[in-house]
Amino acid sequence: MAFDAFARVDSLELHPKTALDGDVRNIAFEVKIGLEVMPYCTETKSFITDAFSGKYTADISMARFNAENVADSINENYVCKKKIEFGTGALNDIFDLWSNVTVDHATDEGGDILIKGAVVISILGTDSESVPVYFERPVEYEYRYNVGQSAPSFRCRPEVSVVAVNYSLDSNGGVDVSVELNIKATVFAVNTVTAVSEIKVDSDNMLPRDNDTAVILYYPENETVWNIARKYRTSPEKICEANGLESSEEVCQKILLIPNV
């Protein structure tokens, strides 16, 4: 069993603490963080795609299921670059610059995972008249990852975080920003399987036998042991045992002994 965990800030409250002289010297804050955990099984599980009863009548229902398996995992750094322009004199100096990242969506594009989102750049500085200014600018990013295998579709829930931010202020008041992002995700291949959803065996109604012979000689034509057993309403294990076969999925091309059990 494995899991992916995601954290998000649901609310943030700031409470200034004033001293006796009225100055704000401390700020208390309260943060509510929501956690989302997505568990998944790391072992291979089988679907029952066919069934029959050898002795009694049976009502077998089939349904379509989404079968997912871990196809790949992403853990890469990606650099997002952008030049942010301001009006003349709007930004003369930068005191601090930081960023937050959001994920808009992750989609499957023919074997590629395309992750789109935005990095919100926050800038604290002064303008040409030394007046403090604050700006927020969104910078869109687009990250593409090739899974490297085939499947009807893929899905993932990426976790994107900011690793580092570098910037430089040019003479015209523009800012060249380079944001290094870390992208993590477990990629699942999604397949649709038609499988048995319910089996009802009527033990009061026994199936009729075609004959009373103990053993039948059968000449298969590229058929699996399972299909032959279903045709004669006998046990696949008994056919394998009588003919020295290893698996009910084995394709047979030689004469077989079919036990009538």
Side-chain angles (χ1 to χ4, degrees), residues 158-177:
E159 181 182 5
V160 183
S161 58
V162 177
V163 177
V165 181
N166 295 307
Y167 64 91
S168 61
L169 181 64
D170 62 29
S171 58
N172 297 321
V175 181
D176 292 308
V177 181

Side-chain angles (χ1 to χ4, degrees), residues 54 166 221 252:
N166 295 307
E221 297 182 359
C252 302

Side-chain angles (χ1 to χ4, degrees), residues 19-193:
L20 294 177
D21 57 5
D23 291 339
V24 176
R25 298 181 180 178
N26 295 288
I27 298 178
F29 63 90
E30 180 180 341
V31 182
K32 292 183 180 179
I33 299 176
L35 295 176
E36 180 181 347
V37 178
M38 183 180 68
Y40 55 90
C41 181
T42 55
E43 298 178 355
T44 300
K45 300 296 182 182
S46 300
F47 282 89
I48 299 175
T49 57
D50 198 3
F52 69 92
S53 173
K55 294 183 179 181
Y56 306 102
T57 59
D59 183 14
I60 301 171
S61 300
M62 308 291 288
R64 293 176 68 83
F65 300 92
N66 281 337
E68 298 185 357
N69 62 284
V70 177
D72 206 343
S73 61
I74 303 172
N75 187 359
E76 289 188 354
N77 285 4
Y78 169 77
V79 177
C80 173
K81 296 182 179 181
K82 181 71 173 181
K83 185 176 185 64
I84 303 176
E85 300 286 355
F86 298 92
T88 303
L91 183 63
N92 186 62
D93 195 10
I94 297 177
F95 293 152
D96 198 4
L97 185 149
W98 65 95
S99 63
N100 294 303
V101 62
T102 62
V103 179
D104 292 337
H105 59 267
T107 56
D108 168 37
E109 292 195 348
D112 286 355
I113 297 295
L114 182 63
I115 300 173
K116 290 185 176 182
V119 178
V120 179
I121 306 296
S122 300
I123 300 174
L124 182 62
T126 59
D127 62 14
S128 59
E129 297 181 357
S130 300
V131 177
V133 291
Y134 173 77
F135 297 101
E136 283 187 358
R137 293 291 188 273
V139 175
E140 295 182 351
Y141 68 88
E142 182 176 302
Y143 169 81
R144 185 180 293 271
Y145 180 84
N146 181 260
V147 180
Q149 61 176 275
S150 60
S153 64
F154 296 95
R155 74 166 186 88
C156 72
R157 170 72 184 277
E159 181 182 5
V160 183
S161 58
V162 177
V163 177
V165 181
N166 295 307
Y167 64 91
S168 61
L169 181 64
D170 62 29
S171 58
N172 297 321
V175 181
D176 292 308
V177 181
S178 175
V179 182
E180 184 178 2
L181 304 176
N182 178 253
I183 300 176
K184 293 181 180 180
T186 302
V187 181
F188 297 90
V190 183
N191 297 274
T192 302
V193 178

